[in-house]
Amino acid sequence: MSSLMKYIMLIFLLFPVVSSAEENMPLNNITARFDLEAHTVRGISRISLPRGQVARVDISGLKILSVSINDRAVIIEPGIASLDFRPVAADDVLIIEYEAEFKSMPQSWAETNPGVIKGNLVGNEGIVLTYGWHPATEGLSIYKLTAVLPDEFEAVSEAEEIVKKEKTDVSREFIFRFGHPLEKVSLIAGRYLIEKDTYNKTDIYAYFLPEDKDLANTYIEYTKKYIDMYEKMFGNYPFSRFSIVENILPTGYAMPTFTLLGQDVVRLPFIVETSLGHEILHQWFGNLVYPDYKSGNWTEGLTTYLADHRYEEINGKGWDYRKQTLITYQSYVTPENDFSLQSFTNRTDRVSGAVGYGKSAFVFHMLKDLVGEETFYKALNFFIEKNRFRFASWSDIKDAFEFASSRNLDWFFDQWIEEKGIPELAVQNITLKYAGSKALVSFEILQKGKNYNILLPVLLKTEDGEVRKIFELKKEITPLEIETVSRPLELVLDDNYDLFRNLSKEELPPVISGLLGAKNRIFVIPEGTEGEYSSLSQELDREGFTEKKEKDITYDDIKGSSLIIPGVENDTVRRLFGKMELQSHEFALVIKANPFNDKGVIAIIGGTSLPDIGKYIRKMKHYGKYSNISFEGGKSVEKTINESDRGMRNSLVYDIIGVQVPGALSISEVIEKVRNKKIIYIGEAHDRFEHHRAQLEIIRELHKMNKNIAVGMEMFQKPFQKALDDYIAGAIDEKEFLRKSEYFKRWGFDYNLYREIILYAREFKIPVIALNIRKEVVSKVSREGIHSLSNEERNEVPRYLDLSDGEYRARLREFFGKHSGSEERNFDFFYEAQVIWDESMAQNLDEFIQKNPGYQVIVLAGGGHMAFGSGIPKRAYRLNGKEYAVIMNTEDIDRNIADFVLFPQPIPAPESPKLMIKLKEEDGKVSITGFAPDSISEKAGLQMNDIIMKIDDVNIETVDDIKIFLLDKKKDDEITVKILRKRIIFGPLEKEFRIKL
């Protein structure tokens, strides 16, 4: 015999079962008759009290026909909710004759709180009376119930014995005998078929409607398994019978001796493996020991933990269940709507469910970790036997655990039961030091906001295995360290989710509950679809969504809300997630992370009959843990959860990338490996001439192999494609080309860096593609966001923008943060601008390929636009599916950064001479605004505010004119600069100066 079972037997000896209950409690003898056509119950309640007691009797919701004490009539005010019974004589009996009508349970209850709300109904289809249908004294009473029902009805209540007597040809009398005290009684009756079996000393009944009778034996067999499981944990099943009762109303509830499950529920195949066990466990917690609602309902959390959670734990998925619990809590509970566990009574909405079920279950999990598993079950058995058929509170639970563990647990119950909130942790200042053969990992845990006393599990992954530690945290900042003889690889906090805490961004996948629980929710009506979504609009309005037309959606709406959008072919989806496809089903939903709101999500929904999909929103509520769901024929055919981190993960070391030098490739070998790719991307640092020389060499070699090549260049913007075409074709000279392409205004790097490549393309008539979008558009978006663009500017932006690449966003965030003044700018706008830049180049590239399918294209752009494929390559591939290779010129090697990395030797860039002056261009005039140190122009006599009119014989009207003039000049060349100098007294003066370059 196990030590736990010995302990249970000892407790049974210490605490005898309830006896002489009838002598110490009120007796309520109820007789009830029914008019099914009128949906009414007519009853008589006879209440007697133990000597010296008085009682308040609840009669709210009942139509009182008469009240008397023995034969003495009692006058009461119409509509009162309760009356006081004060017996004068020992044999005084309060007799209340009453009537009540129950047509149906409000539909809104079932929709907002499915499976929990108890409902009443009297009708030809059956009788369901679970609360408020008879007079009841406060607290516990001993009941007797007699009900006269139609002959074809079977009935069940909390009774341990049910006697049926034939009354007439059309009716029977049911006598219910209760061997235990109750707050109230229920009565369920209908055209049931009954199956019976016995397990140990417990009679098991299944009350199923004829159409579901085949389910009865399955439910009975699973009931045996659960009774066996919980008897081993908590002693004998508390009653002589247990019934599974199918309900015609959509409820799920446990009463003493039976569970009441809605018809839709019992038909779900997984219920026997989940909810059934939960309700059976309630026979111990909730029906043997009653919750003291005034100090908080602990039963739901404890039953959830030892049923729903335990079943997942047995299958090795307890950690996942706990993580889902935290996701649900974080989706619905905010500091504004949070409340303490001692305030929880029943689940009335998603918030109360996340607290009263989810957080409460977590508290019991942490309590078990604190005191140990054996002590945990000892305490619960002690708690059961001490509080059999009594109201018990969280304080009683604390007493039981203090008794079993011999520890003071005030701090634990104060923190988790009396106070609201959730810990939020961060790890900071991670350092790794080596001392000989040992490694020491030091780090700090920061508690944001309130400081909790918690146990934090920490995992250190090493080359040779894992080191697990549990640290106690009490302060805002706690320094910690772990020593190991193996090389540390990763530090992971709470990977098994043993701690009730806020999840980090990386742990939190975008899921449906994140949409339903968002503080601000918007239903976006796409352009041109107004009026098509009436049923959907009504459902979402009930869920608290604000409706907005797509044209009225702002950046602030997206950043401050979660959105639901019907269809994928609308501007909002196209400009957040690019080109998307949904599963072709009656209903499909995809949840995406909101690019501008870490706590928000965006739902895209679709279906084969999109305007009629409002009915599926109700189903969506039951799938809160999923990121993607699809329905066909009213049934779920697909449901998945997006991947997310397990635990708070922190890498300690990064792979040191090695190159096998004997195996290093020459540039010719690299070219040979990429020669058959449709698109070849060659990254650059714009100011490194050796990068451009390497690009030219690759272009030259590929051109030898394939005359049908083209070169796409980031350095030129699409509106100036004709200037490029004319120059490559020989129709204009270089100077005209540079003027018409506005190169010097639109690209900040010396033209000499690219001149060799352009000249080669011109010589061999190789098409050059202006890949870039107009500079003004990108700059405006970077300052004010995409929503600031005019309709004309929007037409320049690609139709599809994918902002959902989280890794790319993170890299850009790091880059953005390193630049001065970044705190004054909006990163979201910067990110939008970068994506527009990338998408524009990908689209312009794709347009060329579609028009010229026989060409191979070499793309020249900054390395940031192609590293890891995130910028142009993956976006172009999304458009055309063409194979590509990425070649990077960089000293930074990272895994998957590119297909090939080149290391060209530094080469000095060719430079044109400079006048060493700062210039301003205004109204067709170029004036001097400053001089570089040791300026040759200043030495020659030029002054501030001089207007440059001519250089040699070239008229100067723009700064570009000067740059183009100097392009072919050499060092030591002499030039003549003609200027106009303003004078206050004598008027303007024209002068010429000779300058040696």
Side-chain angles (χ1 to χ4, degrees):
M1 182 181 294
S2 70
S3 59
L4 177 57
M5 288 307 298
K6 291 178 181 177
Y7 190 84
I8 292 173
M9 292 182 66
L10 174 61
I11 290 175
F12 271 100
L13 295 174
L14 290 173
F15 295 96
V17 297
V18 173
S19 61
S20 305
E22 295 187 24
E23 298 179 4
N24 300 313
M25 295 182 182
L27 173 64
N28 193 343
N29 190 343
I30 301 170
T31 302
R33 296 176 180 273
F34 299 88
D35 185 334
L36 302 184
E37 297 292 338
H39 307 286
T40 59
V41 54
R42 189 181 183 102
I44 299 176
S45 173
R46 296 175 173 85
I47 300 173
S48 57
L49 301 179
R51 187 184 302 273
Q53 286 192 15
V54 297
R56 174 155 292 183
V57 183
D58 181 10
I59 55 173
S60 57
L62 303 176
K63 179 182 178 181
I64 303 302
L65 304 178
S66 69
V67 179
S68 63
I69 298 177
N70 294 343
D71 296 327
R72 305 188 305 275
V74 177
I75 306 301
I76 64 170
E77 295 180 17
I80 64 171
S82 64
L83 56 90
D84 293 331
F85 177 31
R86 301 176 180 274
V88 176
D91 59 351
D92 279 355
V93 177
L94 177 66
I95 303 171
I96 304 173
E97 187 176 1
Y98 66 95
E99 189 176 80
E101 180 184 68
F102 300 109
K103 286 188 175 181
S104 65
M105 183 180 75
Q107 183 65 22
S108 60
W109 286 6
E111 292 174 358
T112 58
N113 206 20
V116 173
I117 290 294
K118 306 177 289 294
N120 290 338
L121 173 67
V122 174
N124 286 310
E125 63 270 48
I127 296 171
V128 180
L129 299 173
T130 57
Y131 74 105
W133 70 277
H134 64 77
T137 59
E138 287 185 343
L140 299 175
S141 296
I142 297 299
Y143 281 90
K144 294 180 180 179
L145 173 63
T146 302
V148 178
L149 300 167
D151 185 61
E152 69 272 23
F153 275 23
E154 296 289 349
V156 66
S157 184
E158 291 91 345
E160 298 200 59
E161 182 182 2
I162 303 174
V163 177
K164 292 177 278 189
K165 293 182 180 180
E166 297 298 329
K167 189 75 173 173
T168 68
D169 291 341
V170 295
S171 66
R172 288 190 292 179
E173 183 178 79
F174 287 76
I175 301 170
F176 301 92
R177 295 170 180 162
F178 306 86
H180 47 272
L182 295 162
E183 279 192 277
K184 47 82 183 173
V185 292
S186 303
L187 179 64
I188 315 298
R191 296 173 178 84
Y192 291 117
L193 299 179
I194 304 175
E195 293 288 338
K196 180 188 176 185
D197 204 338
T198 301
Y199 180 76
N200 288 343
K201 297 180 181 180
T202 303
D203 292 330
I204 302 173
Y205 296 84
Y207 289 72
F208 278 78
L209 298 171
E211 57 267 35
D212 297 315
K213 61 182 174 62
D214 292 340
L215 297 173
N217 287 330
T218 299
Y219 272 82
I220 287 173
E221 290 306 311
Y222 271 92
T223 296
K224 293 178 183 178
K225 295 178 183 178
Y226 289 120
I227 289 177
D228 179 70
M229 175 191 296
Y230 291 120
E231 283 191 334
K232 289 176 180 175
M233 296 168 66
F234 304 117
N236 292 337
Y237 174 75
F239 308 102
S240 61
R241 61 180 282 153
F242 178 78
S243 302
I244 309 105
V245 184
E246 184 177 7
N247 194 4
I248 57 177
L249 295 180
T251 58
Y253 203 66
M255 291 81 161
T257 76
F258 75 98
T259 182
L260 187 61
L261 301 174
Q263 188 171 53
D264 289 343
V265 174
V266 298
R267 292 174 176 177
L268 296 172
F270 56 83
I271 292 299
V272 291
E273 296 180 352
T274 54
S275 299
L276 178 62
H278 179 108
E279 305 304 342
I280 290 172
L281 182 56
H282 265 311
Q283 299 304 306
W284 280 268
F285 301 112
N287 296 327
L288 173 59
V289 182
Y290 301 124
D292 180 1
Y293 289 100
K294 295 189 295 296
S295 59
N297 180 1
W298 47 267
T299 63
E300 297 300 350
L302 180 55
T303 306
T304 297
Y305 181 62
L306 293 174
D308 311 63
H309 168 269
R310 179 178 170 81
Y311 309 149
E312 294 298 317
E313 190 85 277
I314 290 171
N315 294 323
K317 299 288 285 183
W319 69 268
D320 187 55
Y321 184 93
R322 295 190 292 274
K323 180 177 182 179
Q324 290 300 327
T325 298
L326 293 173
I327 292 172
T328 300
Y329 183 92
Q330 207 157 325
S331 296
Y332 295 125
V333 182
T334 66
E336 292 76 24
N337 62 25
D338 195 7
F339 59 91
S340 68
L341 282 176
Q342 69 178 1
S343 301
F344 172 72
T345 55
N346 289 293
R347 188 175 81 184
T348 56
D349 55 21
R350 299 184 185 101
V351 174
S352 58
V355 175
Y357 286 66
K359 179 178 180 178
S360 181
F362 239 108
V363 168
F364 284 106
H365 181 70
M366 293 186 292
L367 190 54
K368 186 177 75 172
D369 285 347
L370 180 65
V371 301
E373 186 168 13
E374 184 175 358
T375 300
F376 180 79
Y377 287 107
K378 285 181 180 179
L380 288 178
N381 277 279
F382 177 81
F383 170 73
I384 290 171
E385 294 312 314
K386 184 179 179 182
N387 295 286
R388 291 172 69 88
F389 299 113
R390 290 183 55 216
F391 292 108
S393 65
W394 280 106
S395 180
D396 294 309
I397 293 175
K398 178 174 76 73
D399 291 344
F401 275 87
E402 288 186 333
F403 173 80
S405 66
S406 300
R407 300 173 66 171
N408 184 306
L409 297 175
D410 285 345
W411 66 271
F412 182 90
F413 284 84
D414 288 348
Q415 176 174 278
W416 296 116
I417 309 304
E418 296 184 13
E419 299 174 11
K420 63 181 183 179
I422 182 171
E424 184 171 2
L425 308 179
V427 61
Q428 61 186 23
N429 297 330
I430 302 175
T431 60
L432 171 60
K433 295 180 180 179
Y434 289 97
S437 62
K438 295 181 180 180
L440 184 67
V441 178
S442 302
F443 55 100
E444 293 177 345
I445 301 299
L446 169 66
Q447 293 203 57
K448 300 179 181 179
K450 176 184 171 183
N451 297 333
Y452 287 80
N453 185 347
I454 52 180
L455 299 178
L456 174 66
V458 177
L459 163 67
L460 180 64
K461 288 191 172 184
T462 74
E463 279 184 324
D464 301 317
E466 298 179 346
V467 178
R468 288 191 177 271
K469 298 278 188 181
I470 295 179
F471 296 101
E472 184 176 12
L473 309 181
K474 292 183 178 180
K475 302 179 296 184
E476 178 184 4
I477 297 176
T478 305
L480 303 171
E481 59 183 28
I482 302 176
E483 187 179 88
T484 175
V485 294
S486 299
R487 178 171 174 254
L489 302 176
E490 187 179 27
L491 184 70
V492 187
L493 274 59
D494 193 28
D495 62 318
N496 284 322
Y497 298 97
D498 294 314
L499 176 63
F500 184 69
R501 62 175 175 85
N502 258 336
L503 299 174
S504 65
K505 175 186 173 184
E506 293 73 22
E507 295 173 282
L508 195 62
V511 290
I512 293 171
S513 61
L515 172 72
L516 299 177
K519 182 178 180 181
N520 300 312
R521 286 162 279 177
I522 297 177
F523 172 35
V524 180
I525 304 294
E527 290 292 305
T529 65
E530 293 83 356
E532 292 185 17
Y533 300 105
S534 56
S535 67
L536 178 60
S537 181
Q538 290 171 9
E539 290 295 335
L540 293 176
D541 181 65
R542 280 194 283 267
E543 283 295 319
F545 281 78
T546 299
E547 189 173 300
K548 269 199 169 186
K549 293 180 180 179
E550 184 176 32
K551 64 183 179 63
D552 297 326
I553 294 293
T554 65
Y555 162 75
D556 289 336
D557 286 331
I558 299 176
K559 187 170 182 63
S561 309
S562 287
L563 313 181
I564 187 166
I565 310 168
V568 295
E569 285 301 320
N570 56 75
D571 279 348
T572 307
V573 172
R574 283 194 292 259
R575 289 183 171 170
L576 288 174
F577 307 112
K579 191 171 183 63
M580 283 186 60
E581 292 184 6
L582 291 176
Q583 295 286 341
S584 181
H585 292 296
E586 283 183 7
F587 177 75
L589 177 147
V590 173
I591 299 288
K592 308 277 281 185
N594 186 329
F596 301 141
N597 180 352
D598 289 346
K599 296 181 179 179
V601 298
I602 295 177
I604 299 97
I605 57 175
T608 51
S609 181
L610 199 55
D612 300 324
I613 61 178
K615 61 184 180 182
Y616 284 104
I617 297 301
R618 290 191 295 273
K619 290 181 178 290
M620 182 179 75
K621 304 169 194 175
H622 302 285
Y623 294 83
K625 66 187 264 188
Y626 294 104
S627 305
N628 309 284
I629 56 171
S630 297
F631 285 87
E632 196 67 58
K635 295 183 178 179
S636 169
V637 293
E638 180 186 19
K639 50 183 185 290
T640 58
I641 304 172
N642 290 358
E643 289 187 4
S644 58
D645 281 356
R646 178 174 171 178
M648 299 173 65
R649 313 189 79 87
N650 301 271
S651 294
L652 298 174
V653 296
Y654 297 91
D655 284 347
I656 300 173
I657 305 298
V659 178
Q660 187 177 6
V661 177
L665 303 176
S666 67
I667 193 168
S668 297
E669 291 171 314
V670 171
I671 293 169
E672 184 63 30
K673 288 182 178 293
V674 303
R675 62 177 295 183
N676 294 321
K677 300 294 184 183
K678 185 69 174 178
I679 309 170
I680 300 165
Y681 297 92
I682 312 174
E684 64 179 58
H686 300 310
D687 59 352
R688 297 281 293 276
F689 184 62
E690 61 270 20
H691 291 184
H692 303 297
R693 186 63 63 77
Q695 290 170 333
L696 175 61
E697 187 168 343
I698 294 171
I699 292 170
R700 290 166 62 97
E701 292 303 313
L702 288 172
H703 184 241
K704 291 176 186 177
M705 302 172 184
N706 176 15
K707 299 306 177 187
N708 288 332
I709 69 167
V711 179
M713 297 187 72
E714 177 193 3
M715 305 79 207
F716 298 99
Q717 296 167 20
K718 187 176 183 180
F720 306 95
Q721 181 67 55
K722 188 176 187 306
L724 263 173
D725 294 342
D726 288 347
Y727 180 58
I728 296 300
I732 58 176
D733 63 15
E734 188 175 54
K735 291 180 173 62
E736 187 69 11
F737 157 63
L738 292 173
R739 287 191 186 93
K740 288 187 172 182
S741 68
E742 298 183 11
Y743 175 87
F744 295 106
K745 286 187 176 69
R746 297 184 170 276
W747 194 248
F749 296 90
D750 195 322
Y751 178 66
N752 286 292
L753 293 164
Y754 303 97
R755 195 177 192 187
E756 292 180 349
I757 294 171
I758 300 296
L759 288 173
Y760 184 84
R762 176 182 166 90
E763 180 179 346
F764 291 98
K765 302 297 184 285
I766 297 172
V768 177
I769 312 159
L771 291 180
N772 219 330
I773 188 172
R774 195 162 57 92
K775 178 181 179 181
E776 291 83 349
V777 174
V778 175
S779 298
K780 186 174 182 180
V781 172
S782 186
R783 291 191 312 270
E784 305 172 51
I786 194 171
H787 287 84
S788 68
L789 297 180
S790 66
N791 289 333
E792 292 76 14
E793 290 167 330
R794 281 174 180 264
N795 289 334
E796 297 183 55
V797 174
R799 194 178 187 205
Y800 298 104
L801 301 176
D802 186 357
L803 297 167
S804 64
D805 188 338
E807 292 182 0
Y808 188 39
R809 181 183 174 93
R811 288 196 297 272
L812 288 176
R813 168 73 79 176
E814 184 177 358
F815 170 80
F816 179 81
K818 291 178 179 178
H819 286 69
S820 60
S822 61
E823 64 279 356
E824 299 171 4
R825 299 173 58 199
N826 187 310
F827 171 74
D828 290 336
F829 297 164
F830 169 80
Y831 179 52
E832 280 185 326
Q834 187 73 25
V835 170
I836 286 174
W837 201 345
D838 295 328
E839 293 281 12
S840 298
M841 291 193 280
Q843 177 176 284
N844 294 333
L845 169 62
D846 181 63
E847 285 180 1
F848 177 87
I849 290 174
Q850 299 302 331
K851 293 177 183 177
N852 303 275
Y855 273 77
Q856 180 184 48
V857 182
I858 298 103
V859 174
L860 312 182
H865 291 290
M866 54 187 68
F868 304 96
S870 294
I872 311 171
K874 289 180 181 178
R875 299 173 195 276
Y877 186 81
R878 186 192 75 215
L879 296 174
N880 55 43
K882 304 297 183 185
E883 288 192 355
Y884 64 86
V886 177
I887 303 172
M888 293 285 286
N889 288 283
T890 180
E891 290 79 24
D892 298 326
I893 301 182
D894 201 346
R895 199 177 296 277
N896 301 320
I897 194 172
D899 296 297
F900 301 95
V901 176
L902 304 180
F903 303 95
Q905 293 295 316
I907 303 174
E911 288 187 281
S912 299
K914 294 179 175 57
L915 291 176
M916 304 175 73
I917 53 180
K918 297 178 183 178
L919 302 169
K920 179 178 71 173
E921 181 181 311
E922 189 175 20
D923 298 329
K925 297 177 182 178
V926 178
S927 59
I928 299 173
T929 61
F931 296 93
D934 204 27
S935 167
I936 58 174
S937 297
E938 188 176 24
K939 288 179 180 178
L942 273 66
Q943 296 180 7
M944 290 276 289
N945 300 316
D946 283 351
I947 297 172
I948 300 176
M949 302 172 65
K950 272 190 175 185
I951 303 181
D952 287 350
D953 58 351
V954 176
N955 290 325
I956 302 301
E957 297 177 354
T958 67
V959 174
D960 288 2
D961 291 335
I962 298 175
K963 292 181 178 180
I964 292 170
F965 172 84
L966 293 171
L967 193 62
D968 289 320
K969 294 298 177 182
K970 298 179 177 61
K971 190 175 183 297
D972 295 330
D973 283 354
E974 285 196 355
I975 60 172
T976 300
V977 178
K978 184 178 181 180
I979 61 97
L980 179 66
R981 184 172 293 167
K982 294 179 181 179
R983 295 186 300 176
I984 296 175
I985 298 176
F986 299 105
L989 172 68
E990 292 186 3
K991 290 192 70 173
E992 290 187 352
F993 297 90
R994 295 291 294 172
I995 300 176
K996 185 177 181 180
L997 298 174

